[in-house]
Amino acid sequence: GAGVSQSPRYKVAKRGQDVALRCDPISGHVSLFWYQQALGQGPEFLTYFQNEAQLDKSGLPSDRFFAERPEGSVSTLKIQRTQQEDSAVFLCASRLGAGADGELFFGEGSRLTVL
Amino acid sequence: DAKTTQPPSMDCAEGRAANLPCNHSTISGNEYVYWYRQIHSQGPQYIIHGLKNNETNEMASLIITEDRKSSTLILPHATLRDTAVYYCIRLNFGNEKLTFGTGTRLTIIP
């Protein structure tokens, strides 16, 4: 399909493991966002890319969280030494332009469970 | 923190209009009002947005009060597939990220 694609859809990790979550935005979309959604809560902003530049990473909860988008298309969110409180759905979204106006298209998310 | 206030939950009978209120009394002149919804186990979906004027599209209508302190999202003929959490969000032009609250859980009753 032509939407935002995320993989894996489900990931179970043991505490202390590193995980990598992938996002394929809609082709040509300049802006890319990562959100974290805990059970029963609204999505919370993690980080924002404009092309390959990470312009805002104010929402990343700790230095164990790292995101990249090296060629301005696919993005990877990496979580090192996972902990139980990292369990959540991680949502990726993309927008066509660089400005604030315009629709944000979300993927279906990657559900991370840390045991 | 760009906050909005929404009721935590609402019910609406199938086939009737669903009216979802949102209070954004401290909204500033360069902030849009956006509505998204999230159906269970899916990512949020864009519905509509507006600045000052009322807006309508194929999904919904957005009514913004003249003082812009509140708005109402209207789903004209609710169906069971409209059961979802609906988020009302303020978006500042200088800040590209959407800040979600906890939204309104709308349940459409058969």
Side-chain angles (χ1 to χ4, degrees):
Chain A
V4 177
S5 178
Q6 293 187 246
S7 61
R9 287 293 315 279
Y10 302 93
K11 175 69 178 178
V12 178
K14 291 183 179 177
R15 190 173 55 188
Q17 277 186 326
D18 297 349
V19 300
L21 307 176
R22 176 187 169 107
C23 173
D24 284 81
I26 294 172
S27 178
H29 277 201
V30 167
S31 299
L32 185 145
F33 300 78
W34 283 98
Y35 283 81
Q36 180 178 12
Q37 186 170 26
L39 192 63
Q41 302 296 315
E44 294 198 0
F45 171 80
L46 292 177
T47 187
Y48 161 63
F49 290 86
Q50 190 178 114
N51 295 307
E52 69 279 4
Q54 188 174 20
L55 299 186
D56 187 345
K57 53 182 180 179
S58 62
L60 295 176
S62 77
D63 58 8
R64 296 186 295 106
F65 287 70
F66 171 76
E68 60 183 6
R69 194 186 185 198
E71 298 178 359
S73 55
V74 172
S75 177
T76 304
L77 176 67
K78 297 179 180 178
I79 309 172
Q80 296 177 322
R81 305 181 302 282
T82 53
Q83 301 179 6
Q84 285 187 319
E85 60 262 31
D86 298 335
S87 296
V89 175
F90 291 87
L91 294 162
C92 177
S94 69
R95 177 190 284 142
L96 177 62
D101 194 16
E103 179 178 352
L104 213 56
F105 294 85
F106 282 84
E108 293 194 317
S110 293
R111 180 179 296 276
L112 172 65
T113 302
V114 181
L115 303 176
Chain B
D1 190 16
K3 289 210 183 297
T4 61
T5 303
Q6 299 178 253
S9 64
M10 292 180 62
D11 292 341
C12 178
E14 187 179 15
R16 305 295 295 266
N19 296 277
L20 291 91
C22 179
N23 183 289
H24 33 78
S25 58
T26 60
I27 197 168
S28 60
N30 63 347
E31 287 184 306
Y32 279 76
V33 177
Y34 272 73
W35 284 83
Y36 278 74
R37 73 180 183 183
Q38 189 172 24
I39 296 169
H40 184 60
S41 296
Q42 297 183 20
Q45 175 192 23
Y46 168 82
I47 303 173
I48 199 166
H49 74 284
L51 184 63
K52 290 189 291 188
N53 299 322
N54 297 336
E55 302 288 343
T56 296
N57 62 21
E58 64 278 4
M59 288 182 69
S61 294
L62 175 60
I63 308 299
I64 303 174
T65 58
E66 194 170 337
D67 62 9
R68 301 188 69 237
K69 292 181 185 290
S70 65
S71 61
T72 301
L73 178 75
I74 301 172
L75 308 178
H77 304 288
T79 71
L80 297 178
R81 288 177 296 179
D82 292 322
T83 291
V85 178
Y86 287 76
Y87 296 98
C88 169
I89 302 161
R90 293 160 53 171
L91 182 63
N92 188 303
F93 257 91
N95 181 2
E96 294 83 0
K97 65 192 181 196
L98 295 174
T99 301
F100 291 81
T102 50
T104 295
R105 181 173 298 279
L106 175 67
T107 302
I108 305 302
I109 310 296

